[in-house]
Amino acid sequence: MSASEHDHQNDACGLVIPDLSGAVPTSAEARAKRRIAALEEELQMVKQERGTKQRKTSYYVAQGRAIRRMVVLYTSLEDLIAENDRRYEEGGEDATTEQDRLQRGYIALVQVLPWLHDKFAQLDIDDCEEMLKKLKRGADAGRGDDTSTLKDLVAAWVNQDFHPASILRSDDKHSHGFVHDVCGKLLCPAEWDWNNDRVKAGIRERTMDYIVSENSWPLFVYENYVVSSSDLEQGLFKSRILVQAFKATFTSPSSAREADADGDGADILENNRRAQRTLNQVKVKTCVRFALSSVSSWRTVDGDFDYEVFWNNIVDFFEDVPGPVARRRVDKLLEWWTEVMLRLRSHVK
């Protein structure tokens, strides 16, 4: 084709063909449309990524709410993970009591969140840290909600069951604790007699002879709020207020009203798995203690009383059993809690 013919064809098409370093002319409208389409596609991708991230956040936060209920009330997740890593590398033959406690916590963690262990292997360190942050957010939010709920409910239960001369108000924590006669009785260490004026005055004044610490079981954890001086484990962890708190936390606040509901007598051994979960639900004992106390906000130490040590003492009672006789007593107590859960399940049905 001659040069004149080539130019004629370009003119006919209305298109100017540039050399290799130039650009083919386009209209401003066409360029704007393509730019808008590209931006819309980019925006859609950002929205999808944001939606995926929000769904992950919501999932991790929701899953995390179980941690303070079923796993650990205070211990950090990082400490649990670090102890499991240490054991895998070094073994657990010479582990301390605290290390054993951490490892039991890690095992409980991966039982409650069975997907978590594999996630640690799949995610890089930054994503792991982000996931743990969201889990902890959910865990702390769940603990806050449960504490707030029990603060209101425990006051109502005390008023209903004990008819105190001074009504217990949930919105005035300063009237709780040892200044309130019923709360003081329930919080009093089981080995002391709250009805003894000397004991009562000594506790309220925090004299050296009557320091209330986490190393004594308070009366509220005993069945019928009565303790046997010859056997401090008789009726331990069988109180009505604990059953009510358990039901309010793990089912619904309304179910706590039926703390003595009857139900069917299903096979205890067949439901032992449900009883085992009670080990991880000792949280309610700590939260009930907080609700009865005069402490206005969640904290680890209240005067001479350390809530974290109290929590560990309860967990160790069930999990760090000193011998076969004690093991049988603990198993019998777990069977009792299994029956409580079975009655609850039959009532709900």
Side-chain angles (χ1 to χ4, degrees):
M1 180 184 295
S2 66
S4 60
E5 291 175 336
H6 186 272
D7 292 341
H8 176 74
Q9 185 173 347
N10 285 343
D11 292 340
C13 296
L15 179 64
V16 178
I17 303 298
D19 57 26
L20 294 178
S21 62
V24 178
T26 59
S27 70
E29 182 181 357
R31 292 196 302 274
K33 287 181 178 179
R34 285 191 288 272
R35 193 172 297 119
I36 291 172
L39 289 172
E40 288 178 342
E41 184 178 355
E42 183 179 347
L43 179 61
Q44 186 62 29
M45 291 178 63
V46 169
K47 286 182 176 179
Q48 289 177 351
E49 290 175 0
R50 184 181 299 168
T52 301
K53 186 175 182 180
Q54 287 176 342
R55 285 193 295 273
K56 286 182 178 179
T57 297
S58 299
Y59 177 78
Y60 291 145
V61 170
Q63 291 286 297
R65 292 180 67 88
I67 292 173
R68 298 302 182 207
R69 287 182 174 185
M70 307 287 290
V71 183
V72 288
L73 191 57
Y74 291 97
T75 311
S76 72
L77 299 183
E78 289 84 354
D79 287 346
L80 302 183
I81 297 165
E83 174 56 24
N84 186 70
D85 289 344
R86 187 198 68 79
R87 291 216 175 196
Y88 187 77
E89 295 171 355
E90 303 174 12
E93 293 78 10
D94 300 320
T96 64
T97 299
E98 177 60 23
Q99 288 172 331
D100 284 340
R101 192 181 289 134
L102 289 171
Q103 185 60 19
R104 290 195 297 267
Y106 183 83
I107 292 172
L109 176 65
V110 296
Q111 287 175 337
V112 172
L113 305 178
W115 50 267
L116 188 60
H117 187 75
D118 290 338
K119 274 290 185 183
F120 290 144
Q122 297 169 4
L123 300 178
D124 60 33
I125 186 65
D126 290 337
D127 288 340
C128 270
E129 290 179 356
E130 189 65 23
M131 177 181 67
L132 290 176
K133 187 186 300 182
K134 293 164 185 173
L135 288 172
K136 287 186 286 187
R137 189 197 309 171
D140 293 341
R143 181 176 62 187
D145 290 346
D146 292 339
T147 302
S148 178
T149 298
L150 286 178
K151 182 181 70 173
D152 294 334
L153 289 175
V154 167
W157 298 334
V158 168
N159 292 330
Q160 175 183 318
D161 294 344
F162 294 92
H163 307 289
S166 175
I167 295 297
L168 196 62
R169 293 176 50 190
S170 62
D171 60 348
D172 181 14
K173 286 283 282 177
H174 296 294
S175 66
H176 293 212
F178 292 108
V179 299
H180 191 278
D181 200 53
V182 174
C183 289
K185 176 182 178 179
L186 296 175
L187 292 171
C188 182
E191 59 267 30
W192 297 339
D193 182 6
W194 178 254
N195 294 320
N196 184 313
D197 291 338
R198 182 181 176 184
V199 171
K200 189 181 298 186
I203 290 175
R204 286 174 171 171
E205 296 170 11
R206 294 177 64 183
T207 63
M208 289 299 297
D209 291 334
Y210 296 103
I211 296 296
V212 178
S213 77
E214 64 282 347
N215 294 316
S216 295
W217 298 129
L219 193 64
F220 77 80
V221 302
Y222 284 90
E223 188 174 20
N224 298 322
Y225 314 114
V226 174
V227 64
S228 170
S229 57
S230 60
D231 183 4
L232 290 179
E233 289 192 15
Q234 182 177 328
L236 184 63
F237 300 136
K238 290 184 177 181
S239 71
R240 173 181 170 84
I241 202 168
L242 288 184
V243 174
Q244 288 175 309
F246 169 81
K247 291 184 174 183
T249 302
F250 293 95
T251 56
S252 68
S254 60
S255 71
R257 290 195 294 267
E258 291 82 26
D260 299 321
D262 293 328
D264 57 12
D267 186 359
I268 296 300
L269 295 178
E270 190 175 312
N271 292 278
N272 190 54
R273 178 180 61 84
R274 294 175 64 84
Q276 195 65 26
R277 292 177 57 198
T278 305
L279 293 176
N280 298 322
Q281 294 164 355
V282 294
K283 165 191 176 173
V284 296
K285 301 171 180 61
T286 308
C287 288
V288 169
R289 207 278 175 189
F290 170 79
L292 290 169
S293 75
S294 58
V295 177
S296 57
S297 60
W298 184 265
R299 65 181 68 169
T300 302
V301 177
D302 171 19
D304 302 298
F305 193 94
D306 189 314
Y307 280 93
E308 185 171 3
V309 177
F310 182 59
W311 157 267
N312 288 332
N313 288 343
I314 298 172
V315 174
D316 289 346
F317 177 86
F318 286 99
E319 297 186 341
D320 191 17
V321 183
V325 176
R327 180 75 266 170
R328 284 195 293 272
R329 288 201 298 266
V330 168
D331 288 344
K332 191 172 181 180
L333 178 57
L334 288 175
E335 290 179 1
W336 184 89
W337 272 100
T338 299
E339 291 179 318
V340 169
M341 285 187 281
L342 290 172
R343 289 199 299 270
L344 170 61
R345 184 174 64 175
S346 65
H347 181 79
V348 171
K349 288 180 178 179

